[in-house]
Amino acid sequence: MAGDADTSITRTLGTPTNLDKWTMSLWVKRVKLDQMEYMMQGKNASTTFSGIRFNSDNTLDFFNRTSGTYNGQLITNRLFRDPSAWMHIVAVWDSDNATPGDRMKLYVNGVEEGSVGGYSTDTNPTSGQASYVASGDVFWIGANGPTSDMYNGMMSQIQFVDGSALTPTDLGGSFDTT
């Protein structure tokens, strides 16, 4: 999907396998920097949603939010400012995991982001916290709803796996971005 800041995909997902476990994988190439851009969002109300986005400070943000409160969020310390590079991003939601630090994971190019640059925000969900991606509600690719914070770049090989917490190697492929 080539983004031109006015194109997005929306679907209403069927009955989820598990609201507490899913994996999202996508290849992205940024075009514009210094602006908030959603790569994906699941939403069941105006104040209840989960998503993956680049923030306007060029950090990567994976979150779950209910009524204005983030009950799960990872924001990278590392900045993503290379418009010539493709990146493979994998976000894993696994709130049933017994280890709180493993309930959310974010990988970039096959490496867990927490082990590379760490997080400026590292808020793990409580055990069994439902996300709003697999909730059977609206699922957006490339936007925060129909008209806001559109992704202005390229996306490829978008995969959403309901009911499984996977690693980048489980999804196959090479992580050589050169």
Side-chain angles (χ1 to χ4, degrees), residues 2-159:
D4 57 8
D6 66 357
T7 303
S8 65
I9 298 170
T10 184
R11 297 288 183 265
T12 300
L13 299 176
T15 304
T17 303
N18 186 339
L19 293 173
D20 303 334
K21 189 177 297 200
W22 53 264
T23 303
M24 181 79 186
S25 169
L26 62 161
W27 283 87
V28 299
K29 185 174 183 181
R30 298 190 75 190
V31 173
K32 291 194 175 185
L33 305 177
D34 307 320
Q35 62 187 26
M36 184 174 289
E37 296 181 305
Y38 279 73
M39 289 164 279
M40 92 60 189
Q41 177 177 254
K43 189 172 189 175
N44 72 355
S46 62
T47 60
T48 305
F49 49 94
S50 301
I52 305 167
R53 66 186 176 203
F54 286 109
N55 291 323
S56 59
D57 64 358
N58 299 304
T59 56
L60 185 57
D61 188 351
F62 172 31
F63 63 90
N64 194 71
R65 180 178 160 172
T66 305
S67 300
T69 301
Y70 289 94
N71 47 35
Q73 186 173 34
L74 300 176
I75 301 176
T76 64
N77 282 319
R78 194 160 62 126
L79 304 179
F80 297 90
R81 299 181 291 200
D82 185 354
S84 69
W86 278 95
M87 293 177 277
H88 182 236
I89 298 171
V90 175
V92 180
W93 179 268
D94 185 10
S95 67
D96 283 339
N97 195 303
T99 304
D102 289 341
R103 292 180 184 155
M104 290 179 78
K105 289 189 177 185
L106 187 59
Y107 299 87
V108 178
N109 296 332
V111 178
E112 189 174 351
E113 193 59 28
S115 68
V116 178
Y119 299 107
S120 63
T121 299
D122 187 349
T123 305
N124 291 290
T126 59
S127 181
Q129 170 68 52
S131 75
Y132 303 101
V133 170
S135 66
D137 293 307
V138 178
F139 186 82
W140 294 92
I141 300 292
N144 173 20
T147 60
S148 65
D149 304 320
M150 306 291 272
Y151 184 74
N152 193 345
M154 291 181 273
M155 292 185 180
S156 180
Q157 299 178 344
I158 301 165
Q159 301 174 65

